[in-house]
Amino acid sequence: MTRTSRASRPAVRRKPARAAAERPAARRRRPAGETPYHHGDLHDALLAAAERVLEREGLPGLTLRAVAREAGVSHAAPTHHFGDLTGLLSELAAIGFRRFNEAMIAAGNTETLPLMKAMARAKAYVAYARARPGMYGLMFRTERLDMTRPSLHEAATASFEGLATAVSLSRNEKLTGEALEALSLDQAAAIARAWSLVHGFTMLLLDGRLKDILHRLPDGTGVEQLLDAMLRSTVPRPPAA
């Protein structure tokens, strides 16, 4: 082509490059084997993610954004399913109480005598807290929970009823139904004593405050033996002849 013909051709207008802010965001690549959540599954997936965050980072690290990141979903997803952080924590605590109750019931069913059932439940109580310290701590942080939420209220009430029933059976009593709603002072004291004993031991253990006692024990004697001895020391002994 001659210079004249090239000069007469209309100039080709190039499209200006998009500004970085105008470019569509890159889609998150899904790892191999990962499948999208179904709507019904996301609720449970968020709770599972929340439990992982709780046990790894503690309650201060458990936020709605942290749960969303852990589950790999949008920041709005936890709010959509639980309303706010209190709602999420309450539903998570309900799961904790249900598992807690199941563990104690299963332990109690391994024994036949009422007193041994109560001791087995107490040991399961401590074992659950040691296995899931974050969840256990959340379950008793009432100021962070909505105890009127039906799922949590039901699970927490079942936990108390299980404790009261176990204590009453060890006293050759039977507290069920209406009897649980109108305790005598003596019955209430027995329940509070048993709960305080096991919960207090558990908290001292989780906080590392029993180390001073444990390291003074004979070799081969640990938490389980100390707990068993403590529980047995509370059993009334027959009067000496």
Side-chain angles (χ1 to χ4, degrees):
M1 295 179 65
T2 65
R3 291 181 179 179
T4 305
S5 60
R6 281 199 302 270
S8 62
R9 292 178 59 188
V12 177
R13 299 181 63 185
R14 295 184 178 182
K15 295 181 179 179
R18 281 188 181 184
E22 296 177 355
R23 294 172 189 164
R27 294 183 179 178
R28 181 176 72 90
R29 292 186 179 181
R30 186 176 293 116
E34 182 183 329
T35 56
Y37 294 115
H38 295 291
H39 181 73
D41 297 335
L42 183 53
H43 180 276
D44 294 340
L46 288 168
L47 288 170
E51 184 175 1
R52 291 194 298 272
V53 173
L54 175 64
E55 296 296 350
R56 185 177 67 236
E57 303 178 24
L59 189 55
L62 183 54
T63 65
L64 294 178
R65 283 182 173 269
V67 171
R69 283 195 304 270
E70 182 73 18
V73 297
S74 73
H75 292 161
T79 302
H80 174 73
H81 283 271
F82 303 101
D84 55 16
L85 182 58
T86 297
L88 173 63
L89 295 180
S90 300
E91 290 300 323
L92 188 58
I95 291 175
F97 271 112
R98 285 195 290 271
R99 292 178 184 166
F100 186 54
N101 296 338
E102 290 166 2
M104 288 190 290
I105 290 171
N109 288 340
T110 63
E111 301 287 350
T112 54
L113 297 177
L115 180 60
M116 298 307 296
K117 280 180 174 288
M119 290 184 62
R121 287 177 61 92
K123 292 176 182 179
Y125 185 114
V126 177
Y128 177 89
R130 296 181 75 187
R132 296 181 176 85
M135 183 73 90
Y136 179 81
L138 172 64
M139 287 157 51
F140 292 96
R141 290 294 299 272
T142 309
E143 79 281 2
R144 299 294 303 273
L145 306 174
D146 178 6
M147 298 303 296
T148 65
R149 207 172 180 97
S151 57
L152 178 55
H153 177 74
E154 180 181 351
T157 299
S159 178
F160 173 76
E161 290 177 351
L163 167 67
T165 300
V167 172
S168 68
L169 290 176
S170 69
R171 289 161 47 91
N172 295 318
E173 298 175 342
K174 190 173 183 179
L175 290 178
T176 56
E178 293 183 1
L180 270 172
E181 300 301 320
L183 298 174
S184 69
L185 180 58
D186 184 57
Q187 290 169 331
I191 294 169
R193 180 174 61 247
W195 192 3
S196 299
L197 182 74
V198 181
H199 184 70
F201 181 91
T202 302
M203 294 306 299
L204 288 172
L205 180 63
L206 294 182
D207 290 342
R209 301 303 296 272
L210 289 180
K211 290 180 180 179
D212 191 51
I213 293 177
L214 291 168
H215 91 271
R216 298 168 188 265
L217 294 175
D219 291 341
T221 308
V223 172
E224 290 79 9
Q225 291 78 16
L226 178 60
L227 175 62
D228 184 77
M230 185 188 72
L231 293 172
R232 290 181 183 278
S233 71
T234 64
V235 179
R237 297 182 180 181

